[in-house]
C-alpha cells in the first residue's frame, strides 16, 4: 500500500519517508526552549543609496518607504535547537518597503536576498517560508580588538566584505526610519516544464513579534559594505544578484551595529499576504 | 518603478535581480556542448528487498513493477557546463515503479531521494525539476585497484557506504527488469502558514532519451550498500529518510556497475504528469 | 646573489621568501594585545585509567605521577591575533608525568597528542614548539541547554566524542593532583634518507605561567570521553594513535570543566629540557 | 615501563603510539602497486622572469642554470595507496638550479614552495622529506572544452590562478633546458627556544628516476600564471611567499602542459646532499 500524508504535519521533498523534522517540527527529545536557542552574534552595516536604483529590485505592489537604506546583516548562530545544538551563519540584505495588497498593507523590511553556509536551512527556509536563501561559504567572524570583519565567498570567490568598528560613545541615530511591522519576501517557485511560468508567486510575511528574544549586548558601530562584481564563471548561479548589489551607489555609510542575543522563534507565525 | 518578470525566462528566489542563470538557462559565453559536458564516473550497486517494505515509501497512484530492487548510484561529475567547468557529486536512490495518472501511464525509475554535495544544484533541482535533493558531504571516490568505495556523511556522521569491485568476466544479468521510460519523482512544496497543506504536489517526469550521452566504459561489479541508522541528534533534518532506507531488508545483492560517461542534457524536457 | 638568513628572525619552510610571520613573529600592524587574544571556550573531560596501560605511551626519562588520569580538552578559539582575528579549534590529550633529565626535573602535563582543524598552526606548532599536532575536522561546539558535545573526525570518520554537562553545585575535587609546572612534549623530526633515525628528539617544555590569561567563567561538569577504534583504511595516517587511546581502560570518569577565557601568550618562553 | 623506539621504523610526532603509517611505511593490507597508484592529472604553466629577481630566492650554494623560467604545476591525484585510495592535490613551484656542495653537485628543479589541500601529506612531507609544503584550499580542476582553470585560496582569499588551453599542434620547444637530475629543496626546522637558530638546515634531493610512472596522455598548451598580492590580514602566515612570487616580472609565457599519469614512488630514495 502506498503511503498517505498525515494531516497537519509538515512534509518536504522527499515526502516518502514521513513528516520532515525541521525548525517548525522538532522532535520532543529536543526539549526546545525558545528563550535560550539560538545564541547569536549580529553584525550589521547600512548604507544610503539612490531610490531609483533600489526600486528596480522590488516587485509589483511594493514601494520604498523612508530613506533608501540598504542593510547587510551577518547572524552568527550557535546552540540551534532544531540542529541539535549546532550552528550556522545567515546573511540578510534588506531595505524598508510598504506592501499594498488587495487585503493587506504592511510596512516592513524587504528581505531581498539571504545567504547561508548550510544547505539544510536553505531547503527548509525556501520551501516552508519563502526566504530567498542562497548558499555561501561564510567563515567565522574575525575580531581584532573592537573591529570586526565579515565575509562571504562561493567556491573561493569572495563577493562580500563587511567591516564594522565599535563606537566609543553611542550616537544619536536621527535617520527617519518608519516603524517596521515585520519582514516581507516573495515566495516564488517556477513551474516545471512550462519554463517562465510560476507555480507559486506569493508575498510571505514574518511578523516582528519575537517575545522570547533577549538582547544581551548592543553597541553602535561605524561600518562599510563592499560587494565585489563577479563574472559568470566566478559565480555561475548568482553573479546577477551580486552584481546588482555591487552596482547600487553608496551615497553614504549609515552606521552599524554589533549585538549578541539569545532566543528566537520557529517562524510558525509566517503568513501569506494578499 | 518595480520590476516586471520577463516572459519566457526562468526565475528563482530571489527573483528581484533578473532571470536566474542555471542548468536550463546558461549564458551564451559558456559555449555549451552537451556532447562533452559533464564527464561522469558512475558507481552503482543494487539489492533485492521485500516488496511490502518498499511499497510503504511510494505515493498514491504509484505501484511497484518488476522485482523490488533498490539501486544506489554515485555520480561523480566534472566539467559541468553550467558551473563553468566545476564538478560535484550526486547520489540517486531509486526503484522500478509504474505511475497511473488520469492521463499518463509511465513505467520508470522512482527517484526516492537524492543527495548532493553542492547547494546550488539542490536549489535549482528542487525548484525547477522537483528532484528530492538533500545535502551530504560526499568525498572523492576512493579507488584501490579494482575496488571502489563511495560514502556520504552529514556534519561528520557517515550514513551511507557503497563498495563495489569490478568483475573479471561480465555476468549475464538475468533479472527481470521492465523497460524504463524515464525517471519519476514527486515535486512537493508546502504551503506557508497553512502547515500540513501543500502548494505543489505533482508527479514530475524525466524522459529517458539523452541522445548526447556517450558511455565511454562500463564494467559489471559486485557490490554492497549500507545505510547506517541515525539518531535525531546525528541527522536532525533527515534521520527519518536514512533510517527508513536502513530498515529495508537486504535479501540479496544484485550486483553493480562502474561506468564513465560524457555528455548529458539540461532537463528542459522535464514534464508534469497528470 | 642567493639570500642570507637574517639573524634573530624565525624561519620556516619555505625559507626562501624571508622570515615567516606566525604566532611568535607577528607584524606590527596586528597591534597585538595578549590580554584580549585569543578568546576561548574550553571543554574538558577526564577519566581514570590503568597506570600500566598509560606507561606504554610515555618516552624514556618520563614517569607517571599522581593518579593515571587522562584529560581530553577542546579549545574553541576566536579572535586570534596572529591569524588577523580568525579562529580555530585545538584538542589536547594529556596526563601527569615527571621528566627527569640530566639537568632538568619537571612535573607537568604530558601532551601526548593534539589535533587541530587548521593546517597553519599545525605547521608552526610542530616545527617551532614540538607540539604533537595532527589534523582533524572539528565542528563547532554543540550546545543544548547545559550539555555540550565535542567531536572530531577525519575524512568523515568520527574518532572522538566528548560530552559534558554542567553540574548544578560545584563538587569538591578530592583527587590527588600534583602541582604542574607546565606542559611537556617530545619534539621529534625523522632523518631524511636514514629511515628510522632522528634528526631531532628533544624534550620541549611550556612553562605554566601565562600572566595575561583571564578566566571569565568556569563551571564543573560531568563528562564522558569516547575514542572510536579505526581500521587502517579509516584513518590511514593515525589509526595507531586513535586505537591506542581507545584501548585505554576507562576505570571511572573524573569529571570535566566548561570555561571561557580571554588572553594568552606566544609560547616564546618555550624551552628545550635536557 | 616507558616505550622504546623500534629500530629501522619511521616515527613522527606523536611518537608515543608506535611507528607512523604513511607514504613510506604502508601496512601490508594496502597491497601497494606503485605502477597503479596514484593516478594524476597534471596541469603545468611556465613563464620567463628576470634572473636577478629569481636569484634573491635561492639559498647559498645554489645558482640558477639555463633560462630563469618559473614553472607552476597542479597535480590532481586520486587512488593514492597510502591514503587507502583517497586523493588530494599538490602545487609545485620550481625553477632550474645547480647545487654545489662540498661533496655533491647536482642540476635539478629547485622546489621553492608547495601547497597541498590535505594536512596529512604536509606533515609527512615536511618532516620526512623536507618538502616546503603549505596548506591551501584547492578546488577540483575546472575544465571547459580544451581550457583548464586551476586555483588556490586560503580562507577565502584566492592567491593563485593558472589557466591553460590545449594547443592543436604540438609546438617545438626550443628553450634551452639543462638535463635535470632530480628535485632539490631545503629542509629547515627552527630550534625551539633559540629563536632564529636552526636545528635542521639541509639540502634534500629527490632523484628523477621513477620507473613505475606511466604517462598516459600529454598535450602541449598555452598558459598563464597569476599570483595575487595579499595583505597580512589576507594570508597572515604566508603573504610574504605569495607576494614574492607575485613580484616576479613575467617577461613572457613559456607554455604549459596537460598530462595524465599513473604510478609513482614512495620517495624512500630521498637523500641529503652535502
Amino acid at each position: 500500500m502506498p503511503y498517505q500524508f498525515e494531516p497537519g504535519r509538515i512534509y518536504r521533498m522527499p515526502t516518502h519517508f514521513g513528516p520532515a523534522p525541521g525548525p517548525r517540527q522538532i522532535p520532543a527529545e529536543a526539549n526546545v526552549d525558545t528563550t535560550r536557542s539560538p545564541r547569536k552574534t549580529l553584525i550589521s552595516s547600512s548604507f544610503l543609496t539612490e531610490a531609483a536604483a533600489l526600486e528596480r529590485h522590488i516587485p509589483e505592489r511594493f514601494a520604498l518607504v523612508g530613506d533608501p537604506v540598504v542593510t547587510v546583516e551577518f547572524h552568527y548562530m550557535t546552540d540551534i535547537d532544531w540542529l541539535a545544538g549546532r550552528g550556522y551563519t545567515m546573511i540578510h540584505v534588506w531595505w524598508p518597503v510598504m506592501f499594498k495588497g488587495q487585503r493587506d498593507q504592511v510596512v516592513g523590511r524587504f528581505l531581498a536576498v539571504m545567504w547561508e553556509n548550510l544547505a539544510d536551512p536553505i531547503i527548509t527556509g525556501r520551501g516552508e517560508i519563502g526566504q530567498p536563501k542562497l548558499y555561501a561559504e561564510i567563515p567565522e567572524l574575525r575580531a581584532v580588538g573592537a573591529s570586526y570583519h565579515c565575509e562571504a565567498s562561493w567556491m573561493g570567490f569572495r563577493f562580500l566584505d563587511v567591516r564594522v568598528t565599535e563606537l566609543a560613545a553611542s550616537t544619536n541615530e536621527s535617520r527617519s526610519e518608519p516603524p517596521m511591522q515585520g519582514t516581507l519576501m516573495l515566495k516564488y517557485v517556477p513551474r516545471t516544464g512550462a519554463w517562465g511560468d510560476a507555480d507559486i508567486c506569493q508575498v510571505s510575511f514574518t511578523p516582528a513579534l519575537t517575545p522570547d528574544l533577549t538582547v544581551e549586548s548592543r553597541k553602535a558601530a561605524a561600518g562599510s559594505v563592499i560587494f565585489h562584481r563577479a563574472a559568470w564563471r566566478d559565480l555561475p548561479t548568482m553573479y546577477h544578484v551580486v552584481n546588482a548589489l555591487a552596482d547600487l551607489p553608496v551615497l553614504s555609510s549609515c552606521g552599524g551595529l554589533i549585538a549578541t542575543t539569545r532566543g528566537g522563534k520557529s517562524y510558525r507565525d509566517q503568513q501569506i499576504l494578499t
Side-chain angles (χ1 to χ4, degrees), chain A:
Chain A
M1 284 289 296
Y3 68 86
Q4 306 282 327
F5 286 89
E6 297 177 31
R9 308 298 304 283
I10 300 174
Y11 283 79
R12 289 191 303 272
M13 286 180 267
T15 56
H16 324 304
F17 306 98
R24 282 155 289 286
Q25 197 161 261
I26 314 182
E29 66 180 286
N31 290 316
V32 166
D33 176 354
T34 51
T35 67
R36 289 192 63 141
S37 169
R39 295 182 58 184
K40 190 184 282 193
T41 298
L42 172 65
I43 305 287
S44 164
S45 186
S46 302
F47 64 90
L48 184 70
T49 188
E50 290 171 9
L54 215 49
E55 230 172 10
R56 273 177 231 126
H57 303 299
I58 55 175
E60 291 190 322
R61 302 190 291 168
F62 285 79
L64 299 179
V65 292
D67 290 330
V69 170
V70 176
T71 298
V72 179
E73 300 171 350
F74 281 69
H75 300 232
Y76 298 89
M77 297 186 291
T78 59
D79 302 37
I80 299 176
D81 47 15
W82 66 275
L83 288 173
R86 296 173 182 84
Y88 71 96
T89 298
M90 294 194 296
I91 300 171
H92 292 210
V93 178
W94 66 269
W95 51 81
V97 296
M98 170 179 290
F99 168 71
K100 262 194 188 160
Q102 288 188 303
R103 185 190 68 192
D104 302 303
Q105 179 165 331
V106 168
V107 170
R109 302 172 165 213
F110 177 65
L111 190 53
V113 60
M114 299 175 70
W115 282 277
E116 298 187 332
N117 60 356
L118 187 66
D120 300 74
I122 294 175
I123 292 171
T124 58
R126 290 178 70 94
E128 298 173 19
I129 301 296
Q131 290 162 323
K133 294 177 168 184
L134 301 175
Y135 182 83
E137 295 146 12
I138 311 173
E140 295 278 300
L141 178 59
R142 286 164 56 184
V144 177
S147 293
Y148 299 84
H149 183 187
C150 310
E151 56 191 56
S153 302
W154 185 89
M155 290 250 187
F157 183 88
R158 178 99 52 88
F159 64 83
L160 174 57
D161 282 289
V162 169
R163 287 184 171 82
V164 302
T165 301
E166 293 175 15
L167 294 176
S170 75
T171 57
N172 281 353
E173 297 177 18
S174 62
R175 192 164 295 285
S176 75
E177 192 175 282
M180 294 282 162
Q181 297 168 257
T183 301
L184 291 152
M185 63 211 78
L186 193 73
K187 185 180 184 184
Y188 183 97
V189 180
R191 179 165 295 167
T192 301
W195 306 113
D197 292 357
D199 266 335
I200 301 177
C201 186
Q202 301 166 341
V203 175
S204 186
F205 174 63
T206 315
L209 184 71
T210 310
D212 288 344
L213 180 73
T214 303
V215 178
E216 299 189 323
S217 72
R218 182 188 170 95
K219 289 175 195 157
S224 70
V225 172
I226 302 174
F227 282 96
H228 302 285
R229 282 190 65 85
W232 164 73
R233 63 175 181 273
D234 296 321
L235 299 177
T237 62
M238 57 185 191
Y239 70 110
H240 63 306
V241 177
V242 168
N243 288 351
L245 295 168
D247 287 348
L248 293 175
V250 177
L251 302 186
S252 66
S253 175
C254 305
L257 181 70
I258 300 148
T260 54
T261 69
R262 186 185 277 273
K265 67 176 176 183
S266 73
Y267 290 71
R268 273 222 168 225
D269 57 350
Q270 189 77 10
Q271 302 163 21
I272 299 299
L273 304 186
T274 55

